[in-house]
Amino acid sequence: MILNMKYSYYEVHMKKFLTLLLTISMVTTLIISQTACAGKTEKVEKDSYYMDTMCRISIYDMKDMDEEKAESAIDAAFALCAEYESLISVTREGSDIYKINHAKGAPVTCDPRTIEVIKKGIEYGELSDGKFDITIGQVTDLWDFHAEEPELPSASKIKAALAAVDYHQIKIDGNTVTMENPAGEINLGGVGKGYVGDKVAELLQERGVTSAVINLGGNIIAIGDKDGEDFKIGITKPFSERDELIGSMTVKNATVVTSGTYERSFEIDGKTYHHILDVNSGYPVDTDVVSVSLVSGLGRSGDCDAMSTICLILGVKEGVKFIEKVDGVEAVFVDQDGKITKTRGMDTFTEE
């Protein structure tokens, strides 16, 4: 994360935290509230901030778990988020990824959990024929989508950064990671948040939680159902206000991940530049997808995280083909004209 240097570190993070706290429901995927039979939904809910995003965990069906145990489960879940952030953060000094990126090709001993996430990233590099590449770190560093007055990186800097992009350079030997190119940098932003969400869901279930929603900045995981009914997940219309939806879907024991080119972007001389970068050019990928929402079962949030990014890169036509080859995953695409395209098996989605 690149900070606005007009403010102190503390001020920037407090501003960001408070803004996200007020707008957490404005993330691309929304949970549409359902009222219990008694007219009031009983739940324990907490918010916190990890992995550069606002996180919310809501535990329902309190007849099966008292409030103290529910709060303890949420606290443990957030502690797990903190642990993973300390391992896979790009910017936190001392994290495994930070050490790898600053080792200049020297081997780095990592936590086994870090190795798992890296391997997941490599897996989707293979599946996408290199279009999804977790070693795009140097290129990503050149694009500041948080700046008040953003600037285009120079062509020479992009060319130099692209020379360090190739996930095949990552060599894993047990718990040791070595970058064959000393300039290579890993960024797990396209898979890490979803992977952590899966681990949070596992932890909550181990603690006896049978009905909950985990929201890690729009990566939604629904454990069980609510009062015998599926959770209803609304998909926000791109570029719209918080209450405008393209539709909704009903899910239980499922993950829903939405990604969009509109999430982080800026405009210069009438042209919009978004944050999904082409590993070949170093510039934002040319795509007709504005938003894509993937739904699958529990334990697949990390997979959907990576696949949603791949779909943005591929475009609607090829993205649909890609998802329809993957078992147990369905998708809803929104293109630049607002047209909605669904994969064949997406039968729980209803347009507004």
Side-chain angles (χ1 to χ4, degrees), residues 216-233:
L216 302 185
N219 285 51
I220 308 295
I221 301 174
I223 298 174
D225 56 30
K226 189 162 75 127
D227 303 316
E229 296 183 10
D230 291 355
F231 288 101
K232 190 175 183 181
I233 308 296

Side-chain angles (χ1 to χ4, degrees), residues 25-68:
S25 295
M26 295 178 68
V27 293
T28 307
T29 313
L30 305 176
I31 298 97
I32 301 174
S33 62
Q34 299 166 314
T35 304
C37 296
K40 181 180 179 181
T41 301
E42 293 185 0
K43 65 180 178 180
V44 172
E45 183 173 84
K46 289 188 177 184
D47 300 329
S48 197
Y49 187 78
Y50 297 102
M51 297 171 291
D52 201 23
T53 195
M54 198 66 199
C55 304
R56 170 174 289 176
I57 298 177
S58 309
I59 296 179
Y60 300 86
D61 197 12
M62 296 306 297
K63 62 179 177 290
D64 292 333
M65 175 174 281
D66 63 41
E67 185 173 343
E68 183 178 350

Side-chain angles (χ1 to χ4, degrees), residues 281-301:
S281 70
Y283 288 88
V285 67
D286 184 14
T287 180
D288 60 345
V289 181
V290 176
S291 171
V292 59
S293 299
L294 273 59
V295 59
S296 190
L298 289 179
R300 302 203 68 181
S301 186

Side-chain angles (χ1 to χ4, degrees), residues 105-146:
V108 176
T109 300
C110 299
D111 187 288
R113 292 170 292 181
T114 304
I115 301 294
E116 288 182 12
V117 187
I118 292 174
K119 286 182 176 179
K120 179 65 70 175
I122 293 172
E123 176 186 338
Y124 280 94
E126 295 286 351
L127 191 63
S128 66
D129 294 324
K131 294 180 177 66
F132 179 92
D133 195 319
I134 60 174
T135 63
I136 198 169
Q138 273 220 36
V139 180
T140 302
D141 290 344
L142 297 176
W143 293 85
D144 185 357
F145 291 96
H146 299 293

Side-chain angles (χ1 to χ4, degrees), residues 13 40 47 109 115 123 164 172 200 208 216 234 274 281 301 317 320 323-324 333 352:
H13 279 271
K40 181 180 179 181
D47 300 329
T109 300
I115 301 294
E123 176 186 338
I172 300 174
V200 167
L216 302 185
H274 59 75
S281 70
S301 186
K317 185 177 179 181
V320 168
I323 293 299
E324 289 186 340
F333 293 79
E352 288 292 302

